């Protein structure tokens, strides 16, 4: 398969600096609202701050890939004497929890690095985090063509899991005939 150049975008998380203000969640949900900035609802954000104030845990986590099945086992991490809940660091949209799901439809949410229209110089959560927790970086890499699974494909996979391929195909045919 042909190799193509790709810009890999990363956000480094300096979690010790996070105070749980949730500005990142608010701006992410507002930017992805329809129409843009018409509403904000942190439940729709593609970054979630996993929190446990009694243990002084504030851990920003970005929404990653959709998976139709939960893990067979779970991990627990203890870092600097703090024990983190199972799944704290997991980015998946998975059946075992409500995180990273559009609250009304249940469709998976995935961080798109704010590559939406209008293009942003830096992801908005990075711009809105006043504590410098989120540090944006870019690098160039060679990847195989077509390697990335796009948001549309993720959304369709979820609908196929929920309703079955036949029903989705029938619905698409019906919609296309109306246009
Ligand atoms: S980079 Fe953009 S899409 Fe991803 S979590 Fe931050 S604000 Fe949301
Ligand atoms: S904006 Fe920064 S400090 Fe506030 S919750 Fe998000 S990552 Fe933490």
């Amino acid at each position: 398969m042909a190799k193509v150049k790709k810009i890999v975008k990363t956000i480094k998380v300096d979690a010790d600096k996070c105070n749980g203000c949730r500005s990142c969640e608010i701006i992410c949900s507002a930017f992805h609202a329809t129409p843009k900035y018409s509403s904000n609802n942190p439940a729709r954000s593609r970054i979630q701050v996993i929190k446990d104030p009694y243990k002084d845990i504030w851990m920003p986590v970005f929404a990653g890939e959709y998976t139709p099945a939960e893990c067979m086992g779970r991990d627990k991490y203890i870092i600097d004497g703090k024990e983190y809940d199972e799944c704290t660091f997991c980015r998946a949209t998975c059946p075992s929890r409500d995180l990273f799901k559009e609250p009304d439809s249940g469709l998976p949410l995935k961080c798109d690095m704010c590559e939406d229209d209008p293009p942003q110089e830096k992801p908005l959560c990075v711009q809105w985090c006043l504590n410098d927790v989120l540090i944006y970086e870019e690098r160039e890499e060679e990847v195989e063509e077509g390697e990335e699974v796009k948001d549309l494909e993720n959304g369709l996979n979820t609908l196929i899991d929920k309703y079955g391929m036949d029903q989705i195909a029938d619905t698409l045919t019906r919609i296309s005939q109306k246009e």
Side-chain angles (χ1 to χ4, degrees):
M1 206 179 269
K3 295 264 185 189
V4 288
K5 289 221 159 83
K6 172 186 168 188
I7 301 292
V8 177
K9 302 176 173 184
T10 61
I11 299 175
K12 207 153 66 180
V13 179
D14 192 350
D16 282 345
K17 292 183 179 168
C18 179
N19 63 6
C21 72
R22 303 180 78 187
S23 302
C24 49
E25 294 179 359
I26 288 166
I27 189 60
C28 180
S29 68
F31 181 65
H32 291 90
T34 309
K36 271 199 187 323
Y37 303 111
S38 59
S39 64
N40 75 67
N41 176 355
R44 293 200 166 94
S45 171
R46 294 141 197 243
I47 178 171
Q48 294 287 332
V49 183
I50 311 293
K51 43 201 161 298
D52 186 340
Y54 297 112
K55 293 189 204 161
D56 190 29
I57 285 175
W58 314 95
M59 184 58 65
V61 179
F62 292 87
E65 300 295 339
Y66 161 75
T67 174
E70 61 186 89
C71 299
M72 298 296 283
R74 304 284 166 86
D75 297 322
K76 277 210 167 194
Y77 287 81
I78 300 172
I79 304 171
D80 289 338
K82 296 180 197 171
E83 183 167 317
Y84 289 78
D85 282 344
E86 293 169 356
C87 312
T88 293
F89 299 97
C90 181
R91 300 182 57 197
T93 308
C94 127
S96 73
R97 58 183 187 174
D98 290 332
L99 208 65
F100 304 137
K101 287 176 188 156
E102 164 57 47
D104 299 326
S105 64
L107 286 172
L109 298 168
K110 184 181 168 194
C111 169
D112 59 6
M113 286 283 176
C114 297
E115 280 182 357
D116 212 346
D117 195 25
Q120 303 295 313
E121 192 189 326
K122 280 185 191 173
L124 281 163
C125 56
V126 173
Q127 294 186 46
W128 273 54
C129 178
L130 300 181
N131 289 345
D132 297 328
V133 175
L134 308 174
I135 304 144
Y136 180 65
E137 292 173 351
E138 284 183 2
R139 67 176 189 277
E140 199 175 81
E141 262 183 22
E142 282 204 330
V143 296
E144 289 188 347
E145 231 171 5
E147 194 178 68
E148 285 186 299
V149 179
K150 297 283 180 251
D151 277 356
L152 176 62
E153 198 173 318
N154 279 334
L156 277 174
N157 278 332
T158 319
L159 290 171
I160 291 165
D161 286 342
K162 192 167 175 184
Y163 299 106
M165 180 62 97
D166 289 348
Q167 205 171 334
I168 300 298
D170 287 350
T171 307
L172 285 174
T173 309
R174 210 169 46 245
I175 292 170
S176 64
Q177 283 166 351
K178 280 190 204 157
E179 292 186 348

